Amino acid sequence: MSKLLSEKQLQNILFKDSPDSIFIIDIEGIIVNCNKASIKELGYLKREITGSPVTRFLSEESIKTFQSKFSGFKKFEKQEGEVQVITKKGRILDIWRKGVPVKGENGEFIGAVIFDRNITKIKDAEKALLNNKNNLEKEVEKQTNKLIELNKELLSLIEDLQHEREKNLSILKALPDIIFIIDEKCVFKDYNVADAAQLFVKPEVFLGKRLDEVLPDDVGFDAMNRVRDALKTNKIQIFEYTLEVKGKKQWFEARIVPKNKNEVLVVTRNITESKNAKREIVSALEKAEKSDKLKSAFLANMSHEIRTPMNSIIGFSDLLSTVTSDEKRNEFVELIKKNGSNLLMIINDILDISKIEAGLVKITKTQFNINEELKYLYDSFSGHPKILSGLIKLKLRLGLSDKNAMINTDRTKFNQIMTNLINNAIKFTNEGFVEFGYSIHLKKGSPIVKFFVRDSGIGISRNDIDIIFDRFRQADINDTSALGGTGLGLAICKGFVDALKGTIGVDSEKGKGSFFYFTLPYSKSSDNESIEEETFLPKDVNWSNKTILIVEDNVSNYKLLEAYLSFTEAFVLRAANGKMAVKICKKIDNIDLVLMDIKMPEMDGIEATKQIRKINKSLPIIAQTAYASDSNRDECFEAGCNDYFIKPVSRNRFIAVLSKFLD
Ligand code: ADP
């Protein structure tokens, strides 16, 4: 280089053609020279520049900076820094200024050379960059904040979703329903079930299969049609079907809900319990309605049954006073008697059935001889016109010797059951036979007595057999009306047999006769060997040497008993109340028997018996009452009575009871 250019030449070139502005200043800071670049940059003429202080072209701010630095030159320190230069046109330029102090020949300060490099573009770019950076940072911050907000929202949304999902899951788990997803080809796609045991078949068997491949044919086809309908109409389809699950028929309800164009949700529920409950309610309702109807029919029937004999009794009683001939009077009396006993029978039946209905049947067990009872019944029924006339042959079959025929049960109820069954047998048999009796059987190792009444009568149809023991049922059976009866007899028998812990039943065929039976527990006790009671048959009775006191406040009742006794030739006394009876017993000591009415004015039969017992312990006292209750009977025995009968009593029974004490 030194070969090519001289120092001077180089300085010239550098000064003249430098792209940077160069100023040469003196010790006062006055510009003494400047190059081309500076003239171009400042836009002033050279002569305008030279001779001016270098600070003239600086901004106010830069003047201060420069002046502070200018003092450094004097100490021969190079200075550099940023200043702002103002051009002639007033533009402000950012300049990087470097100042180099110049020494004189004697080493004194003679000025400085100033190099200015225009860095406005770089500065602007820097500024723009900074601005951009700031904007960018702001934007980033804004976006970050937005993101944070979004994130928060998202988190709470996720939380909500989680809750929702958990809620849905727990709902799904708690649902008794099984949910299937089925596609448009009727293929099982998915399912949800709380307990897998509810499934008809295992998931691996049905998933991916078509409905008709899994379900029984009829259900499968039906279900497929419903799925197609649901997809076609976009409407819920509901249908019920049955499946056999573990050998049991179960009812289901399916709701097919369109999910989208290609899938349906099938919500199925086991409705067997509600179906059964519904069926039970309907049948209970039907039963209640039927029973209500039966009760109404029964009441209508009863009212008719009671009115008929009542009308006759009232009618003929009225007529009695008007008739003059004995023949007519007797005829009317007979009719009144007949209707009276009919009425009594009906009232007794109603009382019995009410007790059974109310669960008030009271059982009083005593030891008695069934052979004796049945023989007595045989004798009583032998007087029935159908038997007397020979239309029906009456037979008795006893299963035990008289000695062993003791049984411990309620005697009154036993008699009532037998009487009812025999009465029915005779009533529903026009000709042939009626046989009754008993035999001994073993049931689960224990002996039982099976009583029966067999007849060759009209028999009972299959339909009626199931209902004849039901209460209020006679109203249903058409052909009985002609034969009369309350329709309560068998229901009463059943009520009593139940109370006696036995069973009652019938074998019968229409037109071929009937076989009614009932069982009672039988225990072979020591009594069955020791007791030998004589069976009474009221034949030749002669009590001409006996005195009988009838205690009875009602004249008609007294007259009836007196009439019953007339053929025995007994001597009969009467007391109209308990007080009189006690008085007579105290006065007359040859009384052989007392017939004691219970309900009387002044002193009742119970009190009178107690008083008589104080003076005579052995005198037989037989109570007679219109109340057929068991407590009544107990009260009589406790007061000291020896026996008891319910009014009205038949003559035979009356004589039979008295014979036990008089013969
Ligand atoms: P009732 O005889 O007063 O009608 P029951 O309760 O005694 O009432 O009998 C009910 C019904 O059972 C009778 O109406 C009759 O249809 C039928 N029945 C009872 N016993 C016999 C029998 N021995 N033979 C045929 N039918 C009978």
Side-chain angles (χ1 to χ4, degrees), residues 508-528:
S508 183
E509 221 178 290
K510 191 98 191 145
K512 294 205 173 149
S514 309
F515 177 78
F516 279 87
Y517 59 87
F518 65 96
T519 63
L520 292 180
Y522 169 73
S523 58
K524 196 168 182 283
S525 68
S526 54
D527 292 350
N528 278 333

Side-chain angles (χ1 to χ4, degrees), residues 182-183 185-189 203-214:
I182 312 275
D183 70 6
K185 290 191 186 108
C186 298
V187 171
F188 285 97
K189 285 291 175 195
E204 53 267 32
V205 178
F206 67 78
L207 282 175
K209 297 261 173 58
R210 240 180 29 203
L211 286 166
D212 60 338
E213 293 173 312
V214 178

Side-chain angles (χ1 to χ4, degrees), residues 1 7-8 240 261 264 327 503 566 622:
M1 181 80 81
E7 192 88 2
K8 192 100 180 151
E240 289 180 3
K261 269 189 198 158
V264 292
E327 204 185 322
T503 49
S566 65
I622 299 170

Side-chain angles (χ1 to χ4, degrees), residues 151-420:
N151 212 21
K152 269 189 204 158
E153 272 175 34
L154 210 66
L155 272 177
S156 94
L157 213 67
I158 290 174
E159 226 166 79
D160 285 354
L161 275 176
Q162 193 78 17
H163 279 312
E164 196 66 17
R165 194 180 120 87
E166 272 161 24
K167 205 171 90 190
N168 286 344
L169 267 180
S170 56
I171 291 173
L172 272 181
K173 267 188 202 155
L175 271 183
D177 307 333
I178 312 174
I179 301 170
F180 298 102
I181 296 180
I182 312 275
D183 70 6
E184 82 275 23
K185 290 191 186 108
C186 298
V187 171
F188 285 97
K189 285 291 175 195
D190 203 353
Y191 73 103
N192 176 76
V193 66
D195 174 10
Q198 286 175 268
L199 291 169
F200 174 57
V201 284
K202 289 194 176 129
E204 53 267 32
V205 178
F206 67 78
L207 282 175
K209 297 261 173 58
R210 240 180 29 203
L211 286 166
D212 60 338
E213 293 173 312
V214 178
L215 296 166
D217 278 354
D218 48 341
V219 182
F221 293 141
D222 197 6
M224 279 174 43
N225 283 335
R226 306 280 182 157
V227 169
R228 287 181 192 129
D229 285 350
L231 284 171
K232 204 158 72 187
T233 59
N234 201 26
K235 279 190 184 141
I236 297 182
Q237 305 287 316
I238 302 171
F239 80 109
E240 289 180 3
Y241 57 95
T242 57
L243 291 177
E244 208 172 291
V245 182
K246 289 183 193 140
K248 273 191 199 153
K249 185 176 164 185
Q250 303 277 302
W251 275 94
F252 293 90
E253 182 199 78
R255 287 169 173 265
I256 303 177
V257 188
K259 187 170 167 254
N260 51 42
K261 269 189 198 158
N262 312 316
E263 282 177 332
V264 292
L265 275 179
V266 182
V267 186
T268 65
R269 174 175 292 195
N270 190 323
I271 52 163
T272 315
E273 266 181 33
S274 68
K275 270 263 166 195
N276 287 344
K278 211 160 145 190
R279 231 196 331 256
E280 270 168 33
I281 289 171
V282 171
S283 109
L285 195 75
E286 276 172 6
K287 254 194 201 157
E289 278 170 359
K290 204 164 187 179
S291 138
D292 196 45
K293 249 194 231 158
L294 282 173
K295 278 194 184 173
S296 310
F298 167 78
L299 282 179
N301 192 29
M302 274 314 107
S303 130
H304 170 79
E305 289 292 331
I306 292 171
R307 267 170 217 276
T308 312
M310 274 299 260
N311 281 343
S312 302
I313 293 169
I314 294 166
F316 286 120
S317 305
D318 274 354
L319 285 177
L320 262 187
S321 54
T322 62
V323 290
T324 43
S325 82
D326 278 355
E327 204 185 322
K328 265 276 168 249
R329 186 172 297 121
N330 285 343
E331 191 191 326
F332 286 178
V333 169
E334 272 311 308
L335 284 168
I336 292 170
K337 264 164 59 184
K338 198 171 150 230
N339 281 296
S341 68
N342 268 349
L343 192 60
L344 192 72
M345 188 190 86
I346 293 163
I347 289 168
N348 278 337
D349 275 2
I350 294 173
L351 284 178
D352 282 339
I353 205 73
S354 328
K355 277 194 208 161
I356 293 170
E357 280 268 300
L360 292 175
V361 178
K362 205 175 148 203
I363 299 297
T364 310
K365 285 190 181 178
T366 49
Q367 288 273 354
F368 65 94
N369 192 301
I370 40 177
N371 282 10
E372 184 191 314
E373 283 314 304
L374 294 178
K375 280 179 199 167
Y376 175 69
L377 283 173
Y378 179 86
D379 288 340
S380 308
F381 280 104
S382 297
H384 192 284
K386 278 188 181 173
I387 291 157
L388 279 180
S389 67
L391 276 175
I392 296 176
K393 194 170 159 32
L394 191 63
K395 300 187 218 172
L396 174 64
R397 207 174 74 198
L398 303 173
L400 290 166
S401 67
D402 287 357
K403 203 166 80 169
N404 286 327
M406 292 305 290
I407 187 172
N408 185 22
T409 193
D410 190 307
R411 184 176 178 168
T412 320
K413 302 216 163 39
F414 167 77
N415 267 317
Q416 216 171 319
I417 301 165
M418 277 313 282
T419 307
N420 243 319

